[in-house]
Structure formats: C-alpha cells, structure tokens
Amino acid sequence: MQSVRTLIVGAGVSGLATAAALPHDDYLILEADPEIGGYCKTVHRDGFVWDYSGHFFHFKHPEIEGWLRERMAGQRVRVVNKRSFISYKGRLIDFPFQKNIHQLPQDEFIDCLYDLYFARAPRELLTGSAAAEPPAKEANFQEMLYRRFGRAIADKFLVPYNQKLYACELSRLDPDAMGRFFPHAELTDVIRNMKVADNRSYNSTFTYPEGGAIEYVKALASAVRPAALALSEPLLSIDLATRVARTPRRELRFEQLVSSIPFNRLLALSGVAHDSAVWTWNKVLVFNLGFDRKGPREPHWIYYPDPQCVFYRVGFYDNIFDTDRLSIYVEVGLPADAVVDVAALRERVLGDLRRQGVTAEARLVAEHSVVMDPAYVHITRTSLAEHARLGAVLRRSGVHTLGRYGGWTYCSIEDNIVEARRLAAALASAP
C-alpha cells in the first residue's frame, strides 16, 4: 500500500495543470493512455500537423498565456484573426448566421428578419401593453433558439447544425447548455451588422503553436515531476470510505483525489449509486486529411447545417499555418451508441468535400482518423442538478472533479487551467 497526498486521475490539460499548481510535490498522476495530453494530442504525418481535433487557444488571462509561452522555448506560436463561415445553399455566409442574415437571398432574409423581430421586439410593441407579463424562461435549448431568434433563423441554421453537432434532439438540452460560447445577438446587433460588420466572438483571435496543441500540453508537463506521471495505469476502483484507489499495479491511499475522467465513469468506479440514464453524450469521428494542393484560401472554419452533408464542420490548418497544401480536419457527430464504420464514413466525407467545393481536384496524400468518445456531453437540467448533488457526495470523501468531462460541462482549454489552479489553491489551504 502506497500513500499520496494528492492523487490526480487523468494527464490531460486539467490534470497536468492541477499538478503544476500544487504547492507540494506529494502527488501522483494516473493516466490510462501511454501518452499525456488526453484529446490534446498532435499527429505529425507526411509534413502535416494535426490534432485529434481542432484545439485552438483563446486566452483571456495574459498571465496564463505568458506562463505557458515561457515554457515553450523555440516554439513559434501563430496569432490568427479568425475567419469562419456557414455553407448555405451554395454560398458562404459569415458566422454567426444570426448576425448575417442580410447576406441571404432577399426572400429568405425577409423571412429571417420578420421572425426575428416578432421573437425579440419589446413585448409592449407586440401586445400594446407595457404591463405585459415577461416571457417565462425557456424550458430547453431548442425552445431557446426559437424564442430568441424566430423560426426562420432557427430552422435554417441553428437547429439543424446543433442537431448534427450534438447528435440528439435539442429539446433534451438545457437552454444554457453552451454557456458563454453560444453567439447570442440582440435585435439591434443584427440590424447594426447590416451596415457595420462586427462578428467578434470569444475566439475572434486565437493562438496556435506550429508544433500543434501538444506544445501547450508539454508546457504544462514541464512543471510536473516526471516521476509523478504513471502512464498506462488506469484507475480501476475507489473505496471512498478508506480513501484507497486501485490500479492494475497497486493500491494507493490518498488524502485528496482530483479527477478529470468522465463524471459518470468516476461514479461507477467509486460505487456511488446513480441513474446512468442521466449522463448522455455524443461521439465525434474526426478525419485529418492532407492534400497535394491548396484549397479555399480564406476560411479557418466552415460550418455545414445541411442534413444531407455528413459532417458538421471543417477546419483548415493550412490557412492557420499559411501553407501551400490543403490540410483539414473534418468532424462527424454520432450518437453515443452508434457503431462507427470508419471506412464507409470516410467515403461519404470525401464525396461531400468534393460536392461542397472544398477539395476540388486536390489529391489525398495523407490521412488520420480518431473517434472521440465522449466528445460533447449533453448538459440537461437533470445532469446539472445531479452533478451538484453527487459531486457533494464525492467531496465528502476527498474526491474532486474538474474539466469538461469531470465537470460535465462546456468549457475552453483555458477554463480548464483556471479551474485547476483554483482547485489546487483550495486543496492546499484545506485543513
């Protein structure tokens, strides 16, 4: 039996950031995979640089970015002003859709503006009474889209795109499932954008290392004791009463445990009674594809709401790196229980890329694929309530959760670092 003050489960961004922020060295990081990074791994193949999926960094805290950059000696980091579009009926519309409806054909623009106005205009204008009751809070994500943007905008982009992304009925999701990452727009924003374009969002400017997202992971790992990394050592179970964790190699007594693995998996490993139906998610199949010639020169992302197109988003590494060969990642959203036929989906992806004009006559020369499971968790009112309730049960036994999957939430990579530092400080000050 070994003892450790802080046991960390998961050597992704959240776990490494927690270890790096602890004021003591009495910690151990368990990682089931033979490599660090979680979903922030990077693939180098035939001159192309790809991540497991697009991981672009949007720093709001200069001190965090500076801390990471100090640990990336010799690594060139590109700063990119994002250009993103929606593919809609053979044309590219600036993202976000709801602020750029004036770029649609006239009849569709009128439909969108009409529905938006009557969805968002002050209630006294619609009812003739300033004392009218305010609208009730939306019951779910789909209702939020229709109420705030009207039927036309929702049906043309917001609903079909997000159904492809989440691979579920949007009525299941909490109205605030995407939090600050959803591009809300007031009626005045939409009207103003018709004359003075302002498509800024939380990630209008992003950074990306030339070595891929793994370089930021390596920066975090540089502040972690190498001997504290236990790779290829998965967590098998936790005895909450005795605070003992078991792996295939050993038993570990801990004072505190910090986990970034999916919350439902942690509950199962801890023997905490829970309703497994509460925790749902999607899979994302990512194809990283390299071609022998340049493709579209402007976009960094293109979104595809058309249900007939198998993928929901394409990201362009070559326009980030300013290279002369098309290098893209393509994302396909799938239900959690889907049987993934990679070969069949690859053919559909390549066909749709040609039909969408992305690849044209370019020849595929390198490729890689990965299934992210889970990818996006489904945030519902029930999952929020149960995470709060069961998280308190775990904390009473010294077990803490964080990150997208441990927190069962929607967040950025920088959010993970901020949360990890906050938790490390709280654990250090605990009696």
Side-chain angles (χ1 to χ4, degrees):
M1 176 77 69
Q2 294 177 245
S3 295
V4 64
R5 181 173 174 183
T6 305
L7 182 62
I8 299 170
V9 183
V13 168
S14 297
L16 293 172
T18 301
L22 287 171
H24 61 81
D25 288 336
D26 189 6
Y27 61 82
L28 179 71
I29 306 173
L30 299 178
E31 172 53 56
D33 202 74
E35 302 174 63
I36 64 172
Y39 284 159
C40 264
K41 293 183 179 67
T42 298
V43 178
H44 294 259
R45 186 164 298 173
D46 299 318
F48 295 97
V49 178
W50 302 312
D51 294 333
Y52 270 27
S53 185
H55 291 298
F56 305 113
F57 292 73
H58 328 288
F59 290 102
K60 296 169 56 184
H61 299 80
E63 70 280 7
I64 291 178
E65 183 176 17
W67 186 91
L68 292 168
R69 291 280 193 102
E70 289 173 2
R71 289 158 176 79
M72 297 167 63
Q75 181 65 215
R76 183 180 175 189
V77 179
R78 289 182 171 264
V79 179
V80 181
N81 293 317
K82 185 189 71 171
R83 291 287 286 144
S84 54
F85 303 90
I86 298 111
S87 176
Y88 184 78
K89 295 185 178 180
R91 65 173 70 190
L92 292 181
I93 306 297
D94 282 321
F95 182 90
F97 187 90
Q98 52 269 35
K99 288 181 71 173
N100 292 288
I101 55 176
H102 59 284
Q103 297 178 14
L104 297 171
Q106 184 179 26
D107 58 336
E108 296 195 64
F109 166 51
I110 291 171
D111 287 343
C112 288
L113 186 59
Y114 180 92
D115 288 354
L116 174 68
Y117 177 81
F118 284 104
R120 300 301 296 270
R123 288 180 62 79
E124 58 266 27
L125 292 181
L126 305 182
T127 64
S129 170
E133 288 294 320
K137 180 174 173 57
E138 298 94 349
N140 56 63
F141 191 74
Q142 180 166 295
E143 185 176 304
M144 180 273 290
L145 297 178
Y146 281 116
R147 278 199 184 182
R148 298 192 187 185
F149 299 102
R151 180 158 296 277
I153 290 175
D155 284 346
K156 292 178 189 302
F157 177 70
L158 295 175
V159 169
Y161 174 78
N162 283 292
Q163 282 179 337
K164 291 175 71 175
L165 170 69
Y166 283 106
C168 76
E169 292 298 323
L170 302 182
S171 58
R172 295 177 55 191
L173 304 181
D174 184 79
D176 198 34
M178 293 181 68
R180 68 181 176 89
F181 301 95
F182 184 85
H184 288 286
E186 299 296 331
L187 181 60
T188 51
D189 297 329
V190 176
I191 302 300
R192 185 180 297 113
N193 218 50
M194 296 176 189
K195 291 280 285 185
V196 182
D198 182 2
N199 295 315
R200 287 176 295 177
S201 62
Y202 75 93
N203 60 354
S204 294
T205 300
F206 64 88
T207 63
Y208 191 76
E210 291 198 334
I214 193 64
E215 298 299 332
Y216 280 127
V217 175
K218 290 178 182 177
L220 287 167
S222 71
V224 173
R225 289 188 302 108
L229 276 170
L231 301 178
S232 299
E233 187 169 357
L235 176 69
L236 296 182
S237 66
I238 303 171
D239 186 323
L240 295 178
T242 61
R243 300 197 182 191
V244 172
R246 185 170 64 87
T247 80
R249 301 177 190 172
R250 52 187 157 175
E251 291 186 336
L252 295 156
R253 181 177 287 111
F254 60 86
E255 294 180 23
Q256 306 150 336
L257 185 148
V258 176
S259 172
S260 60
I261 67 174
F263 188 71
N264 60 330
R265 193 179 306 164
L266 179 68
L267 293 173
L269 295 177
S270 304
V272 175
H274 63 284
D275 181 359
S276 60
V278 168
W279 315 103
T280 62
W281 61 92
N282 78 336
K283 296 175 184 174
V284 171
L285 171 59
V286 181
F287 288 100
N288 291 311
L289 304 172
F291 295 83
D292 66 347
R293 65 190 69 182
K294 190 72 173 174
R297 292 185 173 275
E298 190 174 10
H300 300 115
W301 285 277
I302 300 179
Y303 302 87
Y304 295 86
D306 182 358
Q308 301 305 311
C309 179
V310 68
F311 45 80
Y312 63 83
R313 179 169 57 187
V314 175
F316 294 79
Y317 287 111
D318 55 305
N319 290 336
I320 294 171
F321 289 132
D322 193 24
T323 55
D324 59 2
R325 295 190 299 171
L326 177 63
S327 176
I328 58 177
Y329 68 90
V330 183
E331 295 173 307
V332 180
L334 300 163
D337 60 357
V339 176
V340 183
D341 187 336
V342 175
L345 286 168
R346 175 186 180 275
E347 292 310 304
R348 289 189 63 189
V349 162
L350 292 175
D352 283 346
L353 286 171
R354 287 191 295 270
R355 282 185 285 274
Q356 294 289 340
V358 175
T359 54
E361 300 301 317
R363 180 172 60 89
L364 182 66
V365 295
E367 60 185 293
H368 163 266
S369 67
V370 61
V371 177
M372 302 171 69
D373 181 16
Y376 292 95
V377 301
H378 295 158
I379 302 168
T380 69
R381 288 185 171 177
T382 305
S383 74
L384 291 168
E386 282 296 271
H387 190 280
R389 182 180 73 84
L390 295 171
V393 171
L394 293 170
R395 286 192 296 274
R396 288 195 288 271
S397 296
V399 176
H400 305 266
T401 64
L402 79 173
R404 172 172 288 192
Y405 301 110
W408 209 259
T409 189
Y410 195 115
C411 58
S412 73
I413 292 173
E414 185 187 41
D415 291 338
N416 296 152
I417 298 172
V418 171
E419 183 185 21
R421 289 183 169 187
R422 187 181 299 121
L423 178 58
L427 295 178
S429 61

